[in-house]
Amino acid sequence: MPRPRAARLAAFDVAGVVALVAVAAAWCVVLSTAYGGENRCDMSYMYPSFFPVTNVALASPAHALYRYRDARARDDDVDDRARASGDASACVVINVFVPGTGGGYGQARSAASGTLESEGCRVEHYALDFAEELSAYNGMLLARQAKSVARALDGLRTLERARTERRVVAGWSVVGHSAGGLAAMEAAASALGSELGLTIVNLATPSAWNPVSLTLTQRAREAGVRRRWRTSDARRSVALVSVVGGERDRQVSSSPMGFVDDWVEEGLGVSASASTASRVGVSADHRCAAWCKQLIVAISRGFAEAFPRSKVLTAHQRARAFRDALGDKDAARAPSPTFGVPARAYEATQERTPSALAGVVANVLAPRSVMSAFAFALIAHAASPSILRERVVESVIASLAVYVASGWIANRAFDVRGDVRRALTTCMVLAHVPSLIAWAHHVLRTLPTYGFHALVPPFGAMDAVALCFAAASTRFGAIARDQSSGASRARQVAWCLAAGAAAPGNVGLIHIAGAVVHCAETLRLPRASLPKKVA
């Protein structure tokens, strides 16, 4: 008969294989045309022109600001004469479009053309260009883009004050696509956001958490943004609208990922999905969210209702206007099961896949057991975003699946009885690969034009320290589990950190877990002395 421990490990391996097969099958469905169906988004037509705005200083020489102009737009001279005569129709809304990862300023043309015939105040559109930076993967790049968003808004406000004839500015807004919405939210977490009374509209933005927040720098940036939102007036004065694309979006299909209600006071947040919003009714893939006509028409209607010519609305009224423009969530429009499996199961698979790195770290730090599995799931659940904590059963089951699946990976890829250091090093390096790719992409695009002075900032100091730990660890041998009581306690702390890192958006914490173990083993903490027996 097999030993009880061997039988338990065999059961964990079977469960891990089942979980991995289920995840692989889910991803095959998600990446197939069967999930979300065909693209039903209509296209719109415009006559775009972009003019550089050179007198606004941004955070990087590689960034640029453009003003959008459509050939069908009214002439500015006509607007000036209307303002001089006191016509209320001369009011204007100044909007800045922020592209996402790998995106460009040209994507602003759809949203800009959609508001051309607005019944509300005329919307004047500007667009930022970030040289197609892969900002979602690199915290320093994203933070620098946020600074450019803030400087663009502040610079446009300065230009507005310097005009010889003052215009009636009815409001300020930002439309962000994908990671551009994250940069907009970071820019708004300041006095500027509350002073301008911003309205932020995020399209296909992972507003609740970044699914590829894999480094410590990225994790620290997101925690800092949330802290500033809690302590600033932006929480009480910014209207925040978030629309995810739905099932056809392979990056941000999850409705919980686009949840913004906990960023602002009640009534200021609008969280919607393009496929279930009654006035949109179609699912848009990640790029299509920037031009899908059904979605753009609803957003344009929101601008008209949030910025009417007759009066200036409060932040709560603007949020309500966008909510009405998008329409109520219609249960009849809920995505139908694909191959008999509810859409939420596929969304949870997309949300939890990056957690496998943290699961591997936890499994190499402590032996697998039923108690460890449930402790892992409970810690991961407690560290999850608030929208996921409301779904207790789903959250715990998803974390258990991560634990058993990553346990099988750890058991096959590493000798978990001894070679802990190699496993930690591998996971830390893998977590940094997307950020390093984003940095290399930035270097290749920036070096020929702007020289070496623009290359270093995107590489964060915390990332450098984490990689140094990983590189230095290769000099030492394997870590024995019973080396010292001090090291054992350090591994327990690291295990809890790894469990917390398994929560969506927290994967960057695995670098702290690795540093804790590396330090404890390198310092060779002495074994705790035991009291002598008294005869």
Side-chain angles (χ1 to χ4, degrees):
M1 292 180 63
R3 292 177 298 175
R5 175 171 171 75
R8 288 198 301 270
L9 292 178
F12 269 103
D13 283 341
V14 171
V17 170
V18 171
L20 282 174
V21 170
V23 169
W27 270 110
C28 288
V29 173
V30 168
L31 296 175
S32 71
T33 55
Y35 188 63
E38 62 181 6
N39 188 356
R40 295 188 291 118
C41 283
D42 296 329
M43 297 185 68
S44 55
Y45 297 91
M46 70 288 296
Y47 302 89
S49 298
F50 291 91
F51 303 93
V53 180
T54 57
N55 49 355
V56 174
L58 302 177
S60 168
H63 298 173
L65 179 66
Y66 292 86
R67 182 183 175 184
Y68 172 84
R69 182 78 179 186
D70 194 290
R72 298 169 295 167
R74 295 171 297 180
D75 193 282
D76 278 347
D77 293 336
V78 176
D79 288 337
D80 288 337
R81 289 195 295 271
R83 288 184 212 103
S85 64
D87 188 349
S89 64
C91 65
V92 64
V93 178
I94 297 179
N95 177 73
V96 176
F97 177 84
V98 187
T101 292
Y105 65 94
Q107 291 176 300
R109 61 187 182 272
S110 294
S113 66
T115 60
L116 187 61
E117 304 297 333
S118 174
E119 296 179 357
C121 293
R122 184 172 64 87
V123 185
E124 188 174 280
H125 292 273
Y126 294 83
L128 281 163
D129 179 26
F130 295 138
E132 299 183 2
E133 293 174 343
L134 305 180
S135 55
Y137 309 103
N138 187 292
M140 295 296 288
L141 286 175
L142 190 52
R144 192 166 66 173
Q145 288 185 3
K147 290 181 180 178
S148 284
V149 175
R151 291 187 182 182
L153 290 168
D154 193 42
L156 291 173
R157 181 175 62 169
T158 301
L159 293 178
E160 194 65 32
R161 289 172 174 172
R163 293 178 67 93
T164 55
E165 288 191 40
R166 299 291 179 87
R167 301 190 298 177
V168 179
V169 178
W172 296 76
S173 63
V174 178
V175 173
H177 175 245
S178 188
L182 299 179
M185 292 168 68
E186 183 171 355
S190 63
L192 178 67
S194 56
E195 288 173 8
L196 296 178
L198 275 177
T199 298
I200 298 178
V201 180
N202 288 342
L203 305 176
T205 295
S207 305
W209 72 87
N210 185 354
V212 289
S213 178
L214 306 179
T215 66
L216 190 56
T217 299
Q218 187 76 297
R219 173 65 173 71
R221 186 203 66 81
E222 293 178 4
V225 173
R226 283 193 173 272
R227 185 171 58 254
R228 292 196 296 275
W229 267 83
R230 286 194 299 268
T231 58
S232 70
D233 287 336
R235 183 175 178 81
R236 296 174 288 275
S237 59
V238 174
L240 189 53
V241 182
S242 174
V243 187
V244 297
E247 313 86 74
R248 295 197 74 255
D249 190 340
R250 274 44 173 174
Q251 285 85 9
V252 191
S253 69
S254 167
S255 295
M257 203 179 294
F259 188 73
V260 294
D261 293 32
D262 59 351
W263 283 88
V264 289
E265 287 185 349
E266 185 177 357
L268 288 178
V270 180
S271 303
S273 173
S275 59
T276 58
S278 59
R279 292 195 174 182
V280 181
V282 297
S283 179
D285 63 47
H286 198 62
R287 291 187 178 182
C288 182
W291 59 261
C292 180
K293 186 173 182 178
Q294 290 91 325
L295 176 56
I296 295 301
V297 166
I299 295 299
S300 301
R301 187 184 300 115
F303 269 98
E305 296 177 3
F307 301 100
R309 298 178 181 180
S310 57
K311 60 180 178 179
V312 177
L313 302 185
T314 65
H316 285 84
Q317 291 172 328
R318 295 197 304 273
R320 190 180 308 116
F322 275 99
R323 186 180 294 109
D324 294 341
L326 291 166
D328 296 329
K329 297 177 181 178
D330 189 351
R333 295 177 180 269
S336 58
T338 305
F339 300 120
V341 179
R344 181 61 197 145
Y346 299 108
E347 290 184 353
T349 299
Q350 293 172 272
E351 294 169 358
R352 301 280 176 167
T353 298
S355 302
L357 284 172
V360 169
V361 171
N363 274 281
V364 300
L365 289 175
R368 290 175 292 171
S369 68
V370 174
M371 291 298 296
S372 295
F374 279 99
F376 178 93
L378 291 176
I379 294 174
H381 169 71
S384 294
S386 61
I387 184 64
L388 295 182
R389 290 200 302 272
E390 296 175 2
R391 310 177 182 195
V392 180
V393 175
E394 174 194 297
S395 177
V396 171
I397 291 176
S399 295
L400 286 173
V402 169
Y403 181 83
V404 296
S406 57
W408 187 88
I409 296 172
N411 193 41
R412 291 296 178 270
F414 307 101
D415 179 7
V416 296
R417 291 168 297 180
D419 200 358
V420 178
R421 192 182 297 275
R422 181 162 60 95
L424 292 178
T425 300
T426 302
C427 290
M428 292 169 71
V429 171
L430 285 176
H432 270 99
V433 166
S435 179
L436 292 173
I437 291 174
W439 187 49
H441 175 270
H442 162 75
V443 168
L444 292 175
R445 294 189 65 89
T446 304
L447 182 61
T449 306
Y450 302 103
F452 289 98
H453 71 282
L455 302 185
V456 177
F459 195 64
M462 288 185 285
D463 290 340
V465 170
L467 280 177
C468 285
F469 266 113
S473 68
T474 58
R475 296 182 57 252
F476 304 98
I479 300 174
R481 288 190 181 279
D482 57 351
Q483 185 179 28
S484 69
S485 59
S488 178
R489 287 194 296 271
R491 285 193 293 275
Q492 292 173 4
V493 172
W495 188 90
C496 292
L497 285 170
N506 281 1
V507 179
L509 291 176
I510 65 172
H511 303 293
I512 299 181
V516 167
V517 175
H518 289 333
C519 287
E521 296 298 338
T522 303
L523 295 175
R524 303 287 183 180
L525 298 177
R527 186 182 298 275
S529 58
L530 299 176
K532 296 181 179 180
K533 292 184 178 180
V534 179

